[in-house]
Amino acid sequence: MRTLLVLLLVFGSLTPIPAEAATAVCVTSCDTLDPSRAARESFPLPDKVINGRVLRLHASDPDGMAWASIDNGVAGDAVWLDRSWDAGATWEGLLGKASVPGTWTGTRTLMYNLTDPAHHRRGWVRACGDAQGVGCTAWIYPDVCDTACDRTAPGAGDSQPVAPTTLFGRTIRLHFDGRGMAWASLEAGGAGDEIWLDRSWDAGASWPDGSSLGRTSVAAGAASTHTTAFATRDPRGRLHGGAVRACGREATHAQGSCTAWARPATTRAAGALDALMWSYEPYTAWWPSSWWNSAVAVTAVADAGGFDTALARTFDVNRAAFPAGARSSDAIDGDFVSRAIDDSAWWGLAWVAVYDRTHDARYLTEATTIANYVHGFWDTGSCGGGVWWNRERTYKNAVTAGLYLRLTASLHNRLAGDTVWGRRARTAGDWYVGSGLINSSGLVNDGLTSSCANNGQTVWTYNQGLGIGGLLELWRATGVQSYLDTAKRLADAAMARLTSGGVLVESCDTGTGSCDDNQKQFKGIFLRYFGDLATATGSATYRAFTQKQADALWANDRDALNRIGQRWTGTTPNVTDWRTQASGLEAILAAG
């Protein structure tokens, strides 16, 4: 396609040769959005004049989209966009092509996305037109801007996250400065040796728009050099978790070598959060494809801070009803509720966390709506109380009980003048403590039998954590010491019985076992509420425990891309995905 347009520019053809239709990209909106719906309009590039016609590129940064227009034209003049995913080497052409109709003097295209976060691609876009000769503007946003823009001087600080590579006595290093900007250096080299960065948005699988960044050569008489600094996140394009590596070439042998790929971590929490947001899908506004797990990820992001826009979009998009299979195996009825009462309650706690982060009342209102739905399944006719696990009322278990307790107490502590939720929380807490869910060792088993006895099933860390968190929040609401004492009893039992070498373990991640998608997030949930207890009590023992978890996973269960796995001790077999990432992030946040 590039060769064809070069020929068109040379010979002045009136009609561009059509390109294959591009696959539609959806970010916050899909390609072909009408420019009248743009949130903002800017003109980031100089106009291109073609035989007196004015070709202009328009952009809306809040939408992450661009469109093109042509003015001062005549009937038959045409305008379109080109979009490239490999820094202009190739492109999708004729996007939104529009021709000036009779009696008009101009026209415009529809809007197209500049990036594709769902597929981890960063695009370049330009406006092109045919007005008795073909011409194009420059490409928009060739440089990435985060804390600073590409091609700036390295800032203060120098971390080297991966081992250097060597090549014929040369040492090639990857560096991050204190802003998270990346740069590369070459030492012990000779004249003509080269150094550069590669940048990938898909965790090192490819780097079509980020090859040979900052390429520079060792000067005559020198033995070393370095590149300028480049960003690894593109907030404007909603691209996070960019990876970089340092590469070099030795002049005499014309051979090259590269370090491993890495992502920066200006802090532990920032590195873990960026890696989590790499998996977030902004169009559907969740982490595909787990419904309640996404609620827990929302909670982790809210606790970490910095992504209020993504949280708001998650709220706006997912308040709707969804058929079975779209978000969960169950249908979602709207307002985040479904037949799974525990799933509904997870979303209630998520919006409490977002409210705490933003103080936007709509989130607390939504949490109250969800809590009212969950309360409808409180049933004193079975076991004297407790909330049913599902709409079919087949099981009373620890997770739903703990969620309801934490949610009701949280609402009471946030709704001015409340008496309803405070009363419900007190009832729920008293029932929880006396229900038999807590065994003689101070551990919370999975649920109750049909005869309302402890069923002796697995002690999951998230049930232990929800018990701590619910009772702690009830203590805040009432000041009753026995609730705090019971929370501390659960915490002490967990430290003593749910750890290996002082590091929290799940029963499914010991030996040769592996955890399913639900279980991958359990330990992080525990640490969220255990960390809350540590802060509330000021206990040095509890604080030391949270710090040990964060230190262990950061040292043993994290790779150079800041991806955190299921086994915080670093043993195998291990798994890593966005669920384990959210879990690890909560552990890091618990340590403060």
Side-chain angles (χ1 to χ4, degrees):
M1 183 63 197
R2 180 176 61 173
T3 302
L4 293 174
L5 275 183
V6 169
L7 292 173
L8 291 171
L9 290 168
V10 171
F11 295 111
S13 171
L14 293 175
T15 306
I17 297 175
E20 293 184 5
T23 302
V25 173
C26 298
V27 184
T28 57
S29 297
C30 291
D31 288 345
T32 70
L33 186 70
D34 192 282
S36 65
R37 297 178 60 187
R40 186 184 305 162
E41 181 177 18
S42 63
F43 311 101
L45 296 172
D47 295 339
K48 176 76 173 180
V49 178
I50 311 172
N51 294 320
R53 284 72 155 178
V54 177
L55 178 67
R56 180 170 295 154
L57 183 69
H58 310 247
S60 175
D61 286 345
D63 298 301
M65 305 183 85
W67 68 101
S69 67
I70 191 167
D71 292 296
N72 297 336
V74 298
D77 289 348
V79 63
W80 66 90
L81 292 170
D82 289 342
R83 182 169 59 194
S84 174
W85 302 109
D86 55 11
T90 63
W91 53 82
E92 303 165 328
L94 305 180
L95 298 180
K97 182 184 176 184
S99 297
V100 177
T103 74
W104 289 29
T105 59
T107 190
R108 66 185 181 184
T109 70
L110 297 174
M111 297 169 66
Y112 285 78
N113 283 290
L114 300 172
T115 61
D116 182 13
H119 298 96
H120 308 295
R121 299 188 297 173
R122 184 175 188 271
W124 290 14
V125 172
R126 66 183 179 183
C128 295
D130 180 1
Q132 298 181 12
V134 175
C136 298
T137 67
W139 295 101
I140 191 176
Y141 304 146
D143 287 343
V144 179
C145 292
D146 185 17
T147 54
C149 291
D150 286 349
R151 307 175 201 283
T152 59
D158 183 1
S159 63
Q160 298 175 29
V162 293
T165 185
T166 57
L167 181 69
F168 297 109
R170 281 75 169 158
T171 301
I172 299 163
R173 299 182 189 275
L174 176 64
H175 308 255
F176 291 119
D177 66 21
R179 304 167 299 177
M181 300 288 286
W183 51 288
S185 69
L186 185 147
E187 304 163 10
D193 291 347
E194 293 180 308
I195 187 74
W196 67 89
L197 287 170
D198 288 339
R199 178 170 58 202
S200 172
W201 300 107
D202 58 6
S206 65
W207 49 102
D209 71 322
S211 179
S212 298
L213 299 178
R215 194 176 191 117
T216 188
S217 300
V218 176
S224 63
T225 190
H226 65 80
T227 68
T228 52
F230 289 79
T232 60
R233 302 191 320 156
D234 180 10
R236 178 165 48 201
R238 296 175 175 82
L239 286 166
H240 304 280
V244 290
R245 66 180 181 182
C247 298
R249 174 183 173 275
E250 193 270 338
T252 304
H253 296 84
Q255 295 182 22
S257 183
C258 297
T259 68
W261 294 95
R263 291 170 177 152
T266 53
T267 65
R268 289 179 177 182
L273 177 60
D274 191 46
L276 175 59
M277 292 306 296
W278 183 85
S279 298
Y280 179 77
E281 211 285 283
Y283 185 65
T284 52
W286 70 321
W287 285 263
S289 51
S290 294
W291 180 241
W292 83 266
N293 302 78
S294 284
V296 178
V298 164
T299 305
V301 172
D303 288 346
F307 285 92
D308 293 357
T309 300
L311 295 172
R313 179 164 177 81
T314 304
F315 181 83
D316 292 336
V317 170
N318 289 288
R319 286 182 71 190
F322 297 93
R327 287 292 187 273
S328 168
S329 57
D330 296 325
I332 307 302
D333 300 334
D335 284 315
F336 303 93
V337 304
S338 66
R339 62 170 288 279
I341 311 308
D342 57 336
D343 287 9
S344 307
W346 285 117
W347 282 104
L349 287 179
W351 299 124
V352 169
V354 178
Y355 169 77
D356 288 346
R357 160 73 187 164
T358 65
H359 303 293
D360 187 330
R362 66 178 180 153
Y363 299 124
L364 192 60
T365 299
E366 186 67 30
T368 305
T369 297
I370 295 168
N372 273 314
Y373 172 76
V374 175
H375 176 72
F377 294 88
W378 176 271
D379 183 3
T380 58
S382 169
C383 305
V387 176
W388 290 105
W389 176 53
N390 56 21
R391 217 176 257 167
E392 293 77 21
R393 301 177 180 244
T394 61
Y395 187 31
K396 286 192 173 176
N397 61 357
V399 62
T400 316
L403 286 161
Y404 179 73
L405 174 55
R406 178 75 184 196
L407 182 56
T408 53
S410 295
L411 291 178
H412 173 73
N413 289 337
R414 288 159 178 81
L415 292 170
D418 168 72
T419 57
V420 172
W421 291 108
R423 183 175 64 253
R424 290 173 177 175
R426 184 73 177 260
T427 300
D430 291 342
W431 181 87
Y432 187 97
V433 171
S435 66
L437 288 168
I438 305 171
N439 67 31
S440 60
S441 298
L443 299 176
V444 179
N445 291 100
D446 191 73
L448 301 177
T449 66
S450 58
S451 59
C452 302
N454 184 307
N455 63 15
Q457 292 183 18
T458 306
V459 174
W460 299 110
T461 58
Y462 80 150
N463 282 332
Q464 199 78 10
L466 284 168
I468 293 168
L471 292 165
L472 174 63
E473 195 73 0
L474 184 56
W475 168 73
R476 289 192 179 108
T478 64
V480 174
Q481 184 64 32
S482 62
Y483 296 136
L484 181 62
D485 291 343
T486 305
K488 291 164 67 176
R489 178 184 171 222
L490 298 182
D492 294 343
M495 289 192 297
R497 296 179 172 89
L498 302 180
T499 57
S500 175
V503 178
L504 196 67
V505 295
E506 204 69 60
S507 57
C508 55
D509 66 12
T510 59
T512 59
S514 60
C515 297
D516 67 23
D517 282 348
N518 290 330
Q519 297 155 1
K520 290 172 183 175
Q521 281 185 295
F522 287 0
K523 296 199 300 290
I525 293 165
F526 172 88
L527 257 296
R528 180 178 197 259
Y529 296 115
F530 187 97
D532 191 13
L533 179 67
T535 300
T537 61
S539 166
T541 299
Y542 293 163
R543 297 301 302 165
F545 183 80
T546 61
Q547 191 65 53
K548 186 175 183 64
Q549 310 314 302
D551 291 346
L553 69 83
W554 198 252
N556 303 318
D557 193 27
R558 175 186 64 99
D559 65 12
L561 298 180
N562 300 320
R563 296 177 297 198
I564 299 167
Q566 167 67 31
R567 295 186 175 217
W568 295 351
T569 55
T571 55
T572 57
N574 204 357
V575 293
T576 302
D577 64 14
W578 64 262
R579 301 164 190 83
T580 65
Q581 192 71 28
S583 182
L585 173 59
E586 285 285 24
I588 290 167
L589 295 172

